[in-house]
Amino acid sequence: MSQSSYNQVWKDAMSELSSLLAEELPPVPIPPQRDRVVFFQRLATLYVRYVQVFRQLEEAHNMLVHPQKRRLILLLLKGVMGRVLELKYEMVEKEFSEYHYVDDILHALKLTPPALEIPIPYFFVGERSKETEERKTMVLDVLNLADGSKDLDTSMDKVMTEAEAIKIIQMVERAWQGRIRAKLNKDVRFSNFDRRHRAKSAGSAFNELAAIRIQKIWKGYLQRKKTRIARDEEMIFLGMVMDPKYQTPLQAEIDAQAIDTSIRVRQKKHEEVYLNAIDAILKQIRELEWNDMAKTMKNQIRQWFYECRNTTGLFPDYPTVEEGGSAIIFAEKTPQQLVEEIALQEEEAASKSKAKGKDDKKAKDKKDKGKGKGAEDDDEGLTMMPSAFLSELEVANKRYEEVWKTRNESENFTQIHEVELIKEEMRKIVEEEVRLQVDEEMREELAELKLAVDKEKPGKQKGPKKKKGSKGGKKKKKEKDLTPDRTLESLCEELVQQGLLKRAKNFRMQDFLGDYNYLGTTLRQNDIEPMPSLLDVRQVLSLYGILPLGAPEVHEKAPLIKSILLVGPAGVGKSMLVHAICQETGATMFDLSPYSTAGKYPGKPGLAMMLHMVFKVARLLQPSVIWIQDAEKMFYKKVPKDEEQLEPRRLKKDLPKCLKLIKPEDRVLIIGTTKGPQNSDLKSMCKMYGKIILIPRPDYGSRYILWEKLIKKQGGKITNALDLTSLTKVTDGYTPGQMVQVISSVVTKDRINDLTKHPLTADDFIVPLGKFEPVLQKEEEALKSWYAKTPLGKRRIKAAAEKEDALLKAKDAKTKKKK
């Protein structure tokens, strides 16, 4: 696609965004909605439409090369990301579920399920600042150095145990016996063949019989080959099988990849030229226009002095720096209005502190009254929560309509920067610099005028009164720095040596394969809560984990998520998702799992030092992910005897305290993973983790995709001999981790070389699968019943019970009317 095509994508996205802003910011406020279903439908529709705008803006920002356009698109993109997260938060609060099924909305908007996929913007990792890149490079150097020393140690100092030695001797002995047995079988087989051959080769009848048999086999082979070719051609013609020529990368695909690479190069080149142009134009404006700006400002301020003198009879007080200085003078207001506005600001500053105490008291009373009344919103009606991103989106949309919507770029074929736009922006910066200097000079001139005309002696100018802190208010304790004299590099080296700072494995969110839950809407309509599909889990974690960590502006203003707990059977991909989040956002990974912290930093002072170092480095190297594997061990009701040495509960009290200290500007996310949460204290675990995500075993559609994609990734070929449908049906309950192990054991290098003669069949995978135990329906139901006891699960059960009660009351009312 050309640059004009991507400009059209941006234009379409802005058209949809304008209509969305018009709906969300109408001239007359939208009245509260009493029907929860209708309100959720409106939320879900907005969510789906914003996701489409997000996808279009991400594509435009990724492929356009114009530096000024990309800056505006980036601003819009972050605003839309934040709005998507706000809508997701509201949908969870209204439907009491982390997963939503909106098939009717997709049908109405003529979209398919892949349209709900959350894209991961390229700029998260591809366009990081130089400072961030330097810090990440330093961490990688420390990790590489540690890996090199470990390899050296293991190669020189590794000692073989007695069990390992016995295992090797047994393996060698069995191999020798196998070779002897194979040689004996070979000799016996050849001796029998020679005997039969000598007996049959006596007469000429044998030669004729041999020729007929050879002809039979050859003709049968030729006919089977023709039949197979004809069948394959028919399947290709019917569209049931892909043509082999499309399975290899086409020249068009190779060219498209080359174009993408060239676009990245052009983006960097245009960005460098743009930054150099900013410096040059800023310097030029300072040299040529500084004096004229200062002279014009002084004349306007003097005119304001005299107009105020003529209107009020006195010279005005000059606005302070906190009030905006001369900036409020240049607003389109009369001198009388300006004097009144300054007086009002002083009165408001004085009265605000008095009113604040009363408001806090009212809010507290209202909060106390509202406790225990879950249906209060339903009585008054449901309304949208205030957004922190709509105002920014409105400003950016206005900027687009003023500058880019009708701009003629027919002559800007190379898509370089617009010089006039840079001058407009730089003039504003220079005007602010000039205004600060002019304000100092004009304050002195005003004092001299007052002394000469009004005989008023210069005194200290009254500024806005400082707010006095309430006596009863508690001061927040600042976190003490236990390592003030240590460098970041030395802290990283120590954490790496202790095994608390680790390298994230190279996984991506796209590697977490699965299919959509096509029955979700139908099941919910029948009051059956469906288990989420693996693709639903991927979408939720992209929203909760990747988008906030990738953009600081989104993390600061969007609903804050400090911790996530991933719950699911072993092998469903919990650890893989943690590594994928780190890779997609470029996050530094810390490991505070019980096995990683066992025996390290003993005692209370040691524990405090360990947590301090981890969170200090995590803030300095943000975005950061703190991973706690086997998170249930931290909240054990009773520690098993074989795990007492681990001291799994040593972080139970101190880690939640550190969690509270995470602020919106700290892009630090704690992710726990567990396969057996039933053994832990549910209340403490729910306090620790703000979001609990249940990951199920794969359903039929996800298993089919997993078998197909994983076999191809390993180097195998899918042919008609491999019945994927039956294999998928038979492997119900097996996890993706078990499938990966089975495929890696079956599709080896020797087996790949032998695929032309012996293609893969479903039988090849059945025997290795027998070594693993599948996840039974009972285990999944146990996890589901545990999840129902979490705060969100309880709220959903309560809402379902209220709905049933309402239906029963409606039926009773109808029967009474009939009587």
Side-chain angles (χ1 to χ4, degrees), residues 644-811:
E644 286 180 354
Q645 293 181 350
L646 295 176
E647 294 183 275
R649 294 196 295 190
R650 65 189 298 227
L651 295 175
K652 184 178 179 180
K653 291 182 179 179
D654 294 329
L655 191 59
K657 293 177 183 177
C658 296
L659 182 67
K660 289 179 182 178
L661 296 174
I662 296 176
K663 300 174 183 176
E665 56 267 21
D666 300 328
R667 286 184 292 156
V668 178
L669 180 66
I670 297 176
I671 303 179
T673 57
T674 175
K675 57 186 177 183
Q678 297 93 337
N679 302 325
S680 62
D681 181 14
L682 179 62
K683 189 176 180 181
S684 302
M685 186 175 276
C686 291
K687 282 183 179 179
M688 173 72 188
Y689 294 100
K691 292 289 181 182
I692 299 176
I693 308 298
L694 185 63
I695 305 177
R697 57 183 188 169
D699 54 7
Y700 177 85
S702 297
R703 291 199 306 277
Y704 189 92
I705 290 174
L706 281 164
W707 281 116
E708 184 181 16
K709 300 285 186 183
L710 292 174
I711 290 172
K712 288 181 179 179
K713 187 178 179 180
Q714 190 69 16
K717 292 182 180 179
I718 307 295
T719 61
N720 293 332
L722 179 58
D723 189 357
L724 273 181
T725 305
S726 300
L727 183 62
T728 305
K729 191 72 176 174
V730 168
T731 53
D732 184 18
Y734 287 92
T735 62
Q738 294 170 340
M739 293 180 187
V740 170
Q741 292 182 53
V742 168
I743 290 169
S744 60
S745 65
V746 172
V747 187
T748 58
K749 289 183 179 179
D750 295 337
R751 191 71 178 84
I752 291 170
N753 295 331
D754 197 40
L755 286 177
T756 52
K757 296 179 181 178
H758 303 287
L760 291 170
T761 61
D763 296 337
D764 297 336
F765 300 96
I766 297 300
V767 175
L769 275 170
K771 299 176 183 178
F772 299 96
E773 291 185 6
V775 179
L776 302 176
Q777 187 72 26
K778 291 181 180 179
E779 298 178 41
E780 193 171 83
E781 289 297 327
L783 286 176
K784 202 172 178 181
S785 61
W786 175 87
Y787 185 78
K789 298 174 185 176
T790 61
L792 193 64
K794 286 180 180 178
R795 289 169 65 189
R796 181 158 186 84
I797 291 170
K798 185 180 177 182
E802 288 175 357
K803 186 179 177 182
E804 287 181 7
D805 291 342
L807 290 172
L808 288 171
K809 287 179 181 178
K811 285 182 180 178

Side-chain angles (χ1 to χ4, degrees), residues 28-279:
V28 181
I30 300 171
Q33 177 61 249
R34 292 183 178 277
D35 191 339
R36 183 177 285 270
V37 176
V38 175
F39 184 76
F40 177 80
Q41 198 75 359
R42 180 169 179 266
L43 278 176
T45 305
L46 287 173
Y47 172 80
V48 173
R49 291 175 65 188
Y50 268 110
V51 168
Q52 305 317 304
V53 174
F54 176 28
R55 293 170 65 88
Q56 289 175 315
L57 288 175
E58 194 276 331
E59 183 183 7
H61 180 264
N62 200 20
M63 303 308 292
L64 285 174
V65 298
H66 197 295
Q68 290 156 308
K69 288 180 183 177
R70 295 185 78 242
R71 271 170 167 70
L72 181 58
I73 294 172
L74 183 60
L75 187 65
L76 289 160
L77 186 58
K78 290 177 180 178
V80 171
M81 284 163 54
R83 188 61 187 142
V84 166
L85 290 174
E86 287 178 338
L87 290 169
K88 175 67 178 178
Y89 179 80
E90 284 200 66
M91 289 166 69
V92 172
E93 290 297 312
K94 298 301 179 287
E95 203 180 28
F96 312 117
S97 174
E98 299 289 355
Y99 305 100
H100 315 290
Y101 304 101
V102 290
D103 296 349
D104 50 345
I105 296 172
L106 291 176
H107 181 71
L109 296 175
K110 298 181 180 179
L111 298 172
T112 56
L116 290 175
E117 186 72 24
I118 304 297
I120 298 168
Y122 171 78
F123 73 87
F124 282 178
V125 178
E127 297 180 10
R128 294 186 294 194
S129 63
K130 289 183 179 180
E131 185 181 356
T132 306
E133 283 290 343
E134 289 172 1
R135 288 184 173 181
K136 296 295 181 183
T137 305
M138 182 269 294
V139 174
L140 286 175
D141 292 340
V142 172
L143 287 167
N144 291 332
L145 187 64
D147 291 344
S149 62
K150 283 179 184 177
D151 294 340
L152 186 64
D153 292 343
T154 52
S155 60
M156 301 210 30
D157 302 331
K158 188 175 179 181
V159 179
M160 186 183 296
T161 62
E162 185 180 353
E164 289 174 343
I166 292 171
K167 189 176 181 181
I168 291 172
I169 292 169
Q170 287 177 342
M171 184 174 63
V172 173
E173 181 65 23
R174 285 168 184 163
W176 177 75
Q177 291 178 2
R179 287 194 295 271
I180 295 295
R181 199 178 300 110
K183 187 178 179 183
L184 288 172
N185 291 335
K186 184 178 178 182
D187 293 342
V188 170
R189 189 166 60 252
F190 273 105
S191 62
N192 292 336
F193 175 77
D194 290 341
R195 256 196 316 290
R196 287 197 305 272
H197 182 69
R198 282 194 295 272
K200 289 182 180 179
S201 60
S204 60
F206 173 76
N207 296 332
E208 186 176 353
L209 185 64
I212 292 170
R213 183 166 293 180
I214 291 169
Q215 289 176 354
K216 176 184 174 184
I217 293 170
W218 176 246
K219 289 179 180 178
Y221 166 74
L222 287 178
Q223 189 59 43
R224 285 192 298 274
K225 186 177 180 181
K226 289 178 182 178
T227 305
R228 185 169 62 252
I229 291 170
R231 186 174 64 248
D232 291 343
E233 288 177 351
E234 183 182 6
M235 296 297 284
I236 291 169
F237 176 75
L238 294 173
M240 301 297 289
V241 176
M242 185 180 287
D243 197 332
K245 68 181 181 182
Y246 295 122
Q247 294 178 359
T248 57
L250 299 175
Q251 186 61 37
E253 295 178 359
I254 298 170
D255 293 343
Q257 292 176 357
I259 290 169
D260 289 351
T261 307
S262 67
I263 285 174
R264 298 272 180 258
V265 174
R266 285 174 63 193
Q267 283 176 350
K268 291 181 179 178
K269 186 178 178 182
H270 282 40
E271 185 68 21
E272 290 175 4
V273 174
Y274 173 66
L275 294 174
N276 293 333
I278 286 176
D279 294 337

Side-chain angles (χ1 to χ4, degrees), residues 582-593:
C582 293
Q583 287 290 345
E584 296 289 5
T585 58
T588 312
M589 191 174 81
F590 300 85
D591 189 357
L592 287 181
S593 305

Side-chain angles (χ1 to χ4, degrees), residues 337-576:
Q337 289 174 332
L338 283 170
V339 172
E340 291 174 358
E341 185 180 338
I342 293 169
L344 277 171
Q345 285 178 355
E346 291 178 357
E347 288 176 10
E348 285 176 6
S351 61
K352 246 183 184 180
S353 57
K354 294 179 182 178
K356 190 179 179 184
K358 293 179 181 178
D359 291 341
D360 291 344
K361 192 175 181 182
K362 286 180 182 177
K364 191 177 179 182
D365 295 340
K366 193 173 181 182
K367 190 177 179 182
D368 294 337
K369 287 178 184 176
K371 283 184 179 179
K373 294 183 181 179
E376 187 178 348
D377 286 343
D378 292 339
D379 296 339
E380 298 176 0
L382 298 167
T383 56
M384 300 278 283
M385 292 172 61
S387 172
F389 296 94
L390 283 177
S391 57
E392 294 179 2
L393 285 172
E394 192 176 20
V395 171
N397 184 54
K398 189 177 180 182
R399 174 71 176 169
Y400 165 78
E401 290 179 350
E402 291 174 354
V403 178
W404 298 106
K405 188 174 183 179
T406 57
R407 197 175 193 85
N408 184 11
E409 292 187 282
S410 57
E411 297 181 1
N412 190 6
F413 182 73
T414 55
Q415 290 292 291
I416 58 171
H417 58 270
E418 300 280 350
V419 177
E420 291 302 319
L421 292 178
I422 297 177
K423 286 182 178 178
E424 288 178 15
E425 293 172 3
M426 295 303 106
R427 280 195 184 99
K428 293 176 183 177
I429 295 172
V430 174
E431 279 179 4
E432 286 298 322
E433 295 173 358
V434 172
R435 180 174 288 114
L436 292 174
Q437 182 179 333
V438 167
D439 282 353
E440 292 178 6
E441 296 175 4
M442 296 308 293
R443 281 193 185 94
E444 295 177 3
E445 186 173 328
L446 179 61
E448 292 173 0
L449 279 171
K450 287 182 177 181
L451 181 62
V453 179
D454 295 338
K455 306 297 181 181
E456 183 182 333
K457 292 182 180 180
K460 289 185 179 178
Q461 192 170 350
K462 292 181 181 179
K465 293 181 181 178
K466 294 181 180 178
K467 297 179 183 178
K468 293 181 181 179
S470 58
K471 293 180 181 178
K474 292 182 180 179
K475 293 182 180 178
K476 289 184 179 179
K477 292 182 180 179
K478 291 184 178 179
E479 189 180 0
K480 290 182 180 179
D481 190 357
L482 303 178
T483 55
D485 301 328
R486 296 190 59 180
T487 61
L488 176 62
E489 189 172 356
S490 67
L491 292 172
C492 289
E493 287 175 0
E494 182 175 342
L495 290 174
V496 170
Q497 288 171 2
Q498 296 294 334
L500 303 179
L501 175 58
K502 294 185 177 180
R503 187 198 306 271
K505 295 179 182 177
N506 190 19
F507 289 117
R508 299 286 175 179
M509 290 302 283
Q510 294 297 327
D511 298 333
F512 190 76
L513 301 170
D515 200 6
Y516 298 93
N517 191 344
Y518 297 101
L519 295 175
T521 303
T522 306
L523 291 172
R524 280 217 172 140
Q525 286 173 354
N526 294 307
D527 296 328
I528 301 171
E529 183 61 22
M531 285 297 285
S533 68
L534 297 184
L535 215 59
D536 295 333
V537 174
R538 188 172 82 186
Q539 288 179 3
V540 167
L541 282 176
S542 296
L543 287 168
Y544 291 162
I546 294 177
L547 296 190
L549 284 180
E553 299 85 355
V554 175
H555 193 274
E556 287 178 18
K557 298 178 183 178
L560 184 59
I561 297 173
K562 297 181 181 181
S563 54
I564 300 173
L565 180 65
L566 304 181
V567 183
V572 292
K574 300 183 294 295
S575 303
M576 176 186 175

